[in-house]
Amino acid sequence: MTDMLQPGATIGILGGGQLGRMLAVAAARLGLHVHIFEPASAPAAETAARVTHASYDDADALRAFAQSVDVVTYEFENIPTAALDLIESICPIRPGRRALATSQDRLVEKTFLNSIGLHTAPFAPVTDIASLNAAIAAVGTPAILKTCRMGYDGKGQARLKSPDDAAAALASMNGAPAVLEGFIDFSAEISIIGARGIDGAIACFDPGENVHRDGILHTTTVPAKIGPSLRSDAVLIAARILNALDYVGVLGVELFVTPGGLIVNEIAPRVHNSGHWTQNGCLVDQFEQHIRAVAGWPLGDGSRYADVVMENLIGDDVLRVPELARSGVALHLYGKGAPRPGRKMGHINRVTSRQ
Amino acid sequence: MTDMLQPGATIGILGGGQLGRMLAVAAARLGLHVHIFEPASAPAAETAARVTHASYDDADALRAFAQSVDVVTYEFENIPTAALDLIESICPIRPGRRALATSQDRLVEKTFLNSIGLHTAPFAPVTDIASLNAAIAAVGTPAILKTCRMGYDGKGQARLKSPDDAAAALASMNGAPAVLEGFIDFSAEISIIGARGIDGAIACFDPGENVHRDGILHTTTVPAKIGPSLRSDAVLIAARILNALDYVGVLGVELFVTPGGLIVNEIAPRVHNSGHWTQNGCLVDQFEQHIRAVAGWPLGDGSRYADVVMENLIGDDVLRVPELARSGVALHLYGKGAPRPGRKMGHINRVTSRQ
């Protein structure tokens, strides 16, 4: 492991939200220093040795940041390309640029997934009313129109119940390139969180089953209620993506369970909300696994030793903390200020049984 | 729980070593802010939102520190009394002053333990050669002479094989008040880590069995190889101490297993090295349990779900990290600089089986 960063080396993290915060804690546990780059004040600042508050178009700040670290990783995928170019001229970025370029754009992502033999919802590109009408003809309705870039937690999306909704849906895209996705008849959504080391080794956490509320992840339950064959399909899908992208780090893959098998909903080139259960279900959680990978360390033991229900605390859910603190669940709060509707304030892991 | 600190409140921690670092991480996980007070540069600085580097005789710094926090706790017991007086005039200190005063002085501690009906090694106070000779007459030899204050990891101690060693042992105390302890014929040393909440609730972690090397803790193994009756004795001893001190927080108690039952070696009014196994053996570890208590939260679920061997990485042991990273153990490194002989660089938890 000649590429293995030594304790005392520094990992740069782009983004200082709760994912960056939990990555910083995992890095500290391995004796690694952390430098967070984040435009706003944000939760990760409290758990990192060093923070740069600067904009992603501040070249001087980016350069100083990149020069101060041994490797750069990130907690979100929508990082401006120019910033990445500048950083990469100075130090390695893991996971690499191909993973970012693929996942930053829904159209590129779906095309990539199909190209490596994986199934997605039917989709078609949309830039104007003509291409939208063509897309509706190809994938049918109901369907969902999504901006190609920058969407998350249900933002940048419009549903089309029938072709009559086309004009309104297109208007809500504000001129941004979009993709029309056909609806999938699925019985469940599961996630698989996979990791690939710098040596090409792959380790996947057990798939979890997701339930959303108002477009935001509400709970992830492990084990997912799927049989062994779907379970191994999920692992094989994650492994195929990880290898095809020559990936280093943790990757989240959302999958639809359908009568015809698993369909990839989307991928995230980072630790993922649906992997938070690993903090109380595995010796090495997704955050440490990601830090191990990007630091060039061998992957750790991510085998699941408990059944867990992860539940997000969104907005005023955080007011339940006093009651939750008494209830025997594991609490993970992000130290954010006032609760706002839709704001992820923390999560709990409820261990429902042990193995 | 009217005294329960809300997420966003700040916990002040006196001391920025590895214990402060792991306390800071536990506080962050509960959404609490941390302010570390530490004279030197130290490991906890990297995981805390705010750090004051100042001396314990800097009244202005202490005052500003105390005013910036909601409650003060500590990671070591040898805090100057004047600093504590100043802090306590501004905000609460938990665990309270009685626990500190008791544990700061071996003579006071042993006298206290006997006064609540607990057994200690025979002991006698030593200030000069006359009192040392009287002490030898009372407790016999072999015996061990220890400074009353400021000793840790075997420092400030001298062994007396026979009365002939008296003068040399006394000289090594450098005039400090000391206590002569008779040797105990023990089969094992165990630790019990207990916690008491602000509401008086008590929870103890399962006792662990300690092995020392060169006067420094080498391993702690859970479960300790003791029967159920000694196990409950250990819990009752911890509970008696916690109640007698009206204690709030986590307390470490070292016990000798002897043919006549358990004998208290010493107590530490803080999280304890022999409790590090809880990080990978319990849902709520000793660090979170301590933060919960001092923040006025209900104690969490500290029941043990795994057999664990904790091993300290001392000095050059840290050079084994690459090999350990591959071996399936949980790594906990403190981010310290160069390894020095006797310096605690980190620890590993090896889960040997699960329940």
Side-chain angles (χ1 to χ4, degrees):
Chain A
M1 307 296 288
T2 49
D3 292 319
M4 184 171 168
L5 291 189
Q6 297 303 305
T10 301
I11 296 190
I13 300 177
L14 299 171
Q18 62 268 18
L19 300 181
R21 179 175 165 112
M22 292 184 278
L23 285 170
V25 167
R29 195 165 57 225
L30 297 181
L32 299 164
H33 300 279
V34 169
H35 187 163
I36 299 271
F37 190 99
E38 164 63 47
S41 80
E46 293 185 38
T47 53
R50 201 163 158 200
V51 183
T52 295
H53 287 303
S55 154
Y56 283 106
D57 55 17
D58 183 338
D60 289 342
L62 285 168
R63 196 173 294 112
F65 168 75
Q67 284 165 347
S68 77
V69 303
D70 295 287
V71 63
V72 166
T73 188
Y74 42 88
E75 60 143 28
F76 75 118
E77 53 272 42
N78 295 317
I79 305 154
T81 300
L84 294 167
D85 288 343
L86 197 160
I87 291 167
E88 200 168 32
S89 73
I90 300 170
C91 78
I93 298 175
R94 295 177 190 146
R97 296 296 297 277
R98 181 140 183 242
L100 275 167
T102 303
S103 61
Q104 278 178 344
D105 188 301
R106 291 182 195 278
L107 196 58
V108 175
E109 179 177 308
K110 288 173 190 299
T111 306
F112 158 73
L113 292 167
N114 289 171
S115 77
I116 60 170
L118 302 180
H119 298 293
T120 62
F123 66 96
V126 172
T127 52
D128 53 22
I129 194 69
S131 52
L132 178 52
N133 286 332
I136 291 172
V139 312
T141 54
I144 188 157
L145 189 63
K146 299 178 178 177
T147 54
C148 285
R149 303 177 77 94
M150 303 297 281
Y152 67 98
D153 284 350
K155 292 174 179 117
Q157 304 194 358
R159 285 176 186 238
L160 285 80
K161 290 184 185 159
S162 77
D164 297 343
D165 297 332
L170 186 66
S172 75
M173 299 291 107
N174 293 314
V179 57
L180 188 72
E181 295 179 18
F183 263 107
I184 294 291
D185 182 22
F186 62 93
S187 57
E189 185 201 291
I190 63 172
S191 283
I192 177 120
I193 311 292
R196 188 167 177 270
I198 210 165
D199 56 357
I202 285 176
C204 291
F205 294 101
D206 209 12
E209 190 162 337
N210 302 327
V211 173
H212 292 78
R213 241 188 222 176
D214 305 324
I216 304 178
L217 183 65
H218 174 49
T219 59
T220 299
T221 300
V222 283
K225 282 191 234 70
I226 54 174
S229 122
L230 282 184
R231 197 173 304 266
S232 64
D233 280 355
V235 171
L236 292 172
I237 287 169
R240 194 179 297 183
I241 297 169
L242 289 165
N243 280 332
L245 295 173
D246 192 18
Y247 198 90
V248 175
V250 160
L251 172 90
V253 185
E254 295 177 7
L255 299 161
F256 293 131
V257 179
T258 78
L262 296 175
I263 286 180
V264 183
N265 180 26
E266 61 179 37
I267 65 177
R270 52 171 169 81
V271 289
H272 195 263
N273 195 166
S274 65
H276 290 358
W277 67 266
T278 59
Q279 294 173 309
N280 299 102
C282 305
L283 192 72
V284 170
D285 67 20
Q286 66 165 347
F287 301 99
E288 179 171 335
Q289 201 70 299
H290 185 76
I291 294 293
R292 280 173 170 257
V294 302
W297 287 38
L299 299 181
D301 175 4
S303 55
R304 185 173 63 80
Y305 60 70
D307 295 357
V308 184
V309 180
M310 187 288 303
E311 180 183 340
N312 274 331
L313 301 179
I314 311 275
D316 282 347
D317 287 348
V318 80
L319 302 177
R320 292 165 47 207
V321 163
E323 158 214 337
L324 291 168
R326 268 186 296 274
S327 73
V329 302
L331 275 163
H332 300 269
L333 303 175
Y334 308 149
K336 294 181 181 179
R340 289 195 306 263
R343 192 179 200 194
K344 290 177 178 171
M345 305 299 292
H347 66 274
I348 56 172
N349 285 329
R350 190 181 307 274
V351 172
T352 52
S353 87
R354 300 195 184 275
Q355 281 140 20
Chain B
M1 307 296 286
T2 50
D3 292 320
M4 185 172 167
L5 291 190
Q6 298 302 304
T10 301
I11 296 189
I13 301 178
L14 298 171
Q18 62 267 17
L19 301 179
R21 179 176 165 112
M22 292 183 278
L23 285 170
V25 167
R29 194 166 59 225
L30 298 181
L32 298 164
H33 301 279
V34 169
H35 186 162
I36 300 271
F37 189 99
E38 164 61 49
S41 79
E46 292 185 38
T47 54
R50 201 163 156 199
V51 182
T52 295
H53 287 303
S55 155
Y56 283 106
D57 56 17
D58 182 338
D60 290 342
L62 284 167
R63 197 174 293 113
F65 168 74
Q67 284 166 348
S68 77
V69 303
D70 296 288
V71 62
V72 165
T73 189
Y74 43 88
E75 59 142 29
F76 73 119
E77 53 272 43
N78 296 317
I79 306 155
T81 300
L84 294 167
D85 288 341
L86 196 161
I87 291 168
E88 200 168 32
S89 71
I90 300 171
C91 80
I93 298 176
R94 294 178 192 145
R97 295 296 295 279
R98 178 136 186 246
L100 274 167
T102 302
S103 61
Q104 278 180 344
D105 188 300
R106 291 183 195 277
L107 196 58
V108 175
E109 180 178 306
K110 288 174 191 297
T111 305
F112 159 74
L113 291 167
N114 288 172
S115 77
I116 61 170
L118 302 180
H119 298 295
T120 62
F123 67 94
V126 172
T127 52
D128 53 23
I129 194 71
S131 52
L132 177 52
N133 286 332
I136 292 171
V139 314
T141 53
I144 187 157
L145 189 64
K146 299 179 179 176
T147 55
C148 285
R149 304 177 75 93
M150 304 295 283
Y152 67 96
D153 284 352
K155 290 170 181 124
Q157 305 193 357
R159 284 177 187 235
L160 285 81
K161 289 184 188 160
S162 76
D164 298 344
D165 297 333
L170 186 66
S172 76
M173 298 291 107
N174 292 313
V179 57
L180 187 73
E181 295 179 18
F183 263 106
I184 295 289
D185 182 23
F186 61 92
S187 57
E189 184 201 290
I190 63 172
S191 283
I192 177 116
I193 310 293
R196 188 167 176 271
I198 210 165
D199 57 355
I202 285 177
C204 291
F205 294 100
D206 208 12
E209 189 163 337
N210 302 327
V211 173
H212 292 79
R213 239 189 223 175
D214 304 324
I216 304 176
L217 184 66
H218 175 48
T219 59
T220 299
T221 300
V222 283
K225 280 190 233 75
I226 54 174
S229 122
L230 284 184
R231 197 174 305 267
S232 63
D233 280 353
V235 171
L236 293 171
I237 287 170
R240 193 177 300 184
I241 297 169
L242 290 165
N243 281 332
L245 295 173
D246 193 19
Y247 198 90
V248 176
V250 160
L251 172 89
V253 184
E254 294 178 7
L255 299 161
F256 293 130
V257 180
T258 78
L262 296 176
I263 286 180
V264 183
N265 179 28
E266 62 180 37
I267 65 176
R270 52 170 169 81
V271 290
H272 195 262
N273 194 165
S274 65
H276 290 359
W277 67 267
T278 60
Q279 294 173 309
N280 298 100
C282 305
L283 192 71
V284 170
D285 66 20
Q286 66 165 347
F287 302 100
E288 180 171 334
Q289 200 70 298
H290 185 77
I291 294 293
R292 280 173 169 255
V294 303
W297 287 37
L299 298 180
D301 175 5
S303 55
R304 186 173 63 82
Y305 60 68
D307 296 357
V308 185
V309 180
M310 188 289 303
E311 180 183 339
N312 273 330
L313 301 178
I314 312 274
D316 282 347
D317 287 348
V318 79
L319 303 177
R320 292 163 47 208
V321 163
E323 156 215 341
L324 291 168
R326 268 187 295 274
S327 72
V329 302
L331 275 163
H332 300 269
L333 303 175
Y334 307 150
K336 293 182 181 178
R340 289 194 306 263
R343 192 179 200 195
K344 290 178 178 172
M345 305 299 291
H347 64 274
I348 57 172
N349 285 328
R350 189 182 307 273
V351 173
T352 51
S353 87
R354 297 196 187 276
Q355 282 137 21

